Amino acid sequence: MSLSLQLDASGDLKHFLTVEGLPYEMLVSILDTAESMTGVTVRSIKKVPLLRGKTIANLFFEPSTRTRTTFELAAKRLSADVLNIALDSAATLKGESLLDTLRNLEAMYVDMFVVRHSHSGTAHFIAQHVAPHIRVVNAGDGRHAHPTQALLDVFTIRRHKPDFGSLCVAIVGDILHSRVARSQIHALNILLTGEVRVIAPRTLLPVDVESFGVRVFYDLEDGLRDVDVVIMLRLQHERMQSGHLPSEYEYYHHYGLTRDRLQIAKPDALVMHPGPINRGVEMSSSVADSPQSVILEQVSHGIAIRMAVMSMALARTPTTP
Ligand code: CP
């Protein structure tokens, strides 16, 4: 993806479509802006006027709980007006093309589209076709990218363990179908993380996984040794085209994170998961609810990261024609 689509001529954020290729300084700037936004999220009046008068449309053509609601909350905390258009209420169901839907929303003076779609590249396609003053944020496209999820994940890690160069981070599970894993790997590598591991059965790894800049483990217990952060992933059945696994029971037996297995990692290792979690498939309840789990912190940080991205992308928009 061309960086010029994502950044303007001055290097400021224009659209946010992928973490891949993002300059280190921009990534850190988003994390630092999110840090200042966390102050807003804990005030008694959780609002700042940064995006007053702006209109943000959330276009979710795939199910979502965390991402959609935290984008909505983030926009409201920035004082923007928010339109929520979900799969079951979109006119695309009546045969309208995606671009025609967008043109209609443009005619309502929308300033930003937040887009989730099952097809990889949709947010990128939209960014290439919208009017110059409109901004696009990718809220997850196919198995390609989920950039705000990756940033809220590294934001959560940074709050607990800020020295990325000394960290070993393991991502466990369905790497093959995971847009989250791809974006996390890019973010961790941009932050010069000491070691990024992926742990999965061969059937759930892309064939070219080594080229991602990761160390590959097929055995969970081997891969967990000396790890500072364990990120568990959901089995993404909706993107599996054939049987990649004998059964969920079998998967849990070999790759489920239990209390015993967690003890192989460092004693203060963080346990993370982008959600939604499947208890008894990716991890036991005792791990999901343990003091080492920061899964709900990740959700809270999603608001601050999305406030940062939306406010930065809309900071210097040209005047609406
Ligand atoms: N992590 C994540 O994208 O969750 P949702 O599908 O609920 O948005």
Side-chain angles (χ1 to χ4, degrees):
M1 197 210 64
S2 119
L3 200 55
S4 63
L5 190 58
Q6 197 149 248
L7 304 183
D8 66 17
S10 323
D12 293 319
L13 196 66
K14 192 164 64 174
H15 304 294
F16 192 44
L17 309 172
T18 178
V19 178
E20 187 177 5
L22 208 62
Y24 172 87
E25 293 73 20
M26 175 53 73
L27 199 160
V28 171
S29 171
I30 297 172
L31 299 184
D32 291 344
T33 306
E35 198 62 60
S36 67
M37 295 298 179
T38 58
V40 178
T41 63
V42 295
R43 283 187 202 165
S44 58
I45 298 174
K46 300 175 179 58
K47 256 194 195 301
V48 284
L50 276 174
L51 296 187
R52 195 166 53 194
K54 299 286 185 190
T55 304
I56 296 173
N58 287 328
L59 295 165
F60 276 67
F61 297 101
E62 242 194 9
S64 168
T65 302
R66 282 145 288 269
T67 310
R68 199 198 62 72
T69 46
T70 53
F71 264 113
E72 181 177 350
L73 275 176
K76 286 178 171 169
R77 284 178 188 178
L78 293 166
S79 306
D81 296 315
V82 184
L83 302 170
N84 288 310
I85 297 144
L87 170 71
D88 56 359
S89 57
T92 44
L93 286 182
K94 298 180 190 164
E96 184 176 69
S97 76
L98 180 58
L99 281 182
D100 279 331
T101 301
L102 295 172
R103 296 276 175 262
N104 280 270
L105 290 165
E106 281 185 19
M108 298 173 208
Y109 305 104
V110 165
D111 298 288
M112 173 179 273
F113 295 120
V114 176
V115 185
R116 170 170 288 195
H117 204 286
S118 57
H119 290 148
S120 297
T122 302
H124 186 248
F125 171 79
I126 291 172
Q128 286 175 308
H129 287 86
V130 288
H133 67 282
I134 293 181
R135 300 297 182 242
V136 180
V137 178
N138 184 2
D141 62 327
R143 60 168 85 172
H144 170 238
H146 195 346
T148 56
Q149 177 69 48
L151 290 203
L152 73 89
D153 294 332
V154 293
F155 182 81
T156 304
I157 295 172
R158 190 175 83 155
R159 285 200 129 200
H160 289 268
K161 297 173 185 285
D163 180 11
F164 279 87
S166 70
L167 293 184
C168 179
V169 178
I171 306 172
V172 183
D174 186 359
I175 312 290
L176 179 64
H177 302 98
S178 177
R179 57 193 174 207
V180 172
R182 281 169 179 74
S183 293
Q184 286 168 338
I185 291 166
H186 288 305
L188 290 165
N189 283 331
I190 291 167
L191 292 169
L192 304 174
T193 303
E195 184 170 310
V196 183
R197 299 181 180 177
V198 293
I199 310 172
R202 282 176 201 277
T203 51
L204 292 180
L205 285 168
V207 281
D208 58 343
V209 66
E210 269 96 359
S211 69
F212 294 12
V214 294
R215 194 168 161 205
V216 181
F217 289 81
Y218 303 105
D219 182 272
L220 179 60
E221 294 179 12
D222 287 346
L224 286 177
R225 218 159 295 284
D226 300 323
V227 157
D228 298 281
V229 179
V230 191
I231 304 176
M232 303 303 294
L233 299 175
R234 184 176 63 84
L235 291 174
Q236 287 138 99
H237 292 294
E238 70 276 21
R239 287 182 216 128
M240 290 185 190
Q241 267 140 26
S242 58
H244 291 259
L245 296 165
S247 69
E248 286 188 349
Y249 171 80
E250 197 79 6
Y251 179 80
Y252 183 67
H253 183 67
H254 292 286
Y255 291 95
L257 189 62
T258 58
R259 286 190 82 89
D260 286 348
R261 285 178 170 155
L262 182 55
Q263 282 176 7
I264 300 168
K266 288 195 179 157
D268 63 344
L270 302 177
V271 175
M272 303 178 66
H273 194 305
I277 62 172
N278 287 282
R279 293 166 187 263
V281 181
E282 297 103 54
M283 62 172 74
S284 65
S285 275
S286 61
V287 169
D289 303 327
S290 75
Q292 284 171 258
S293 165
V294 292
I295 294 170
L296 293 178
E297 262 181 59
Q298 290 172 260
V299 177
S300 301
H301 293 158
I303 302 172
I305 283 290
R306 287 161 182 142
M307 287 172 79
V309 167
M310 289 193 286
S311 59
M312 288 169 74
L314 283 170
R316 284 179 205 79
T317 42
T319 316
T320 310

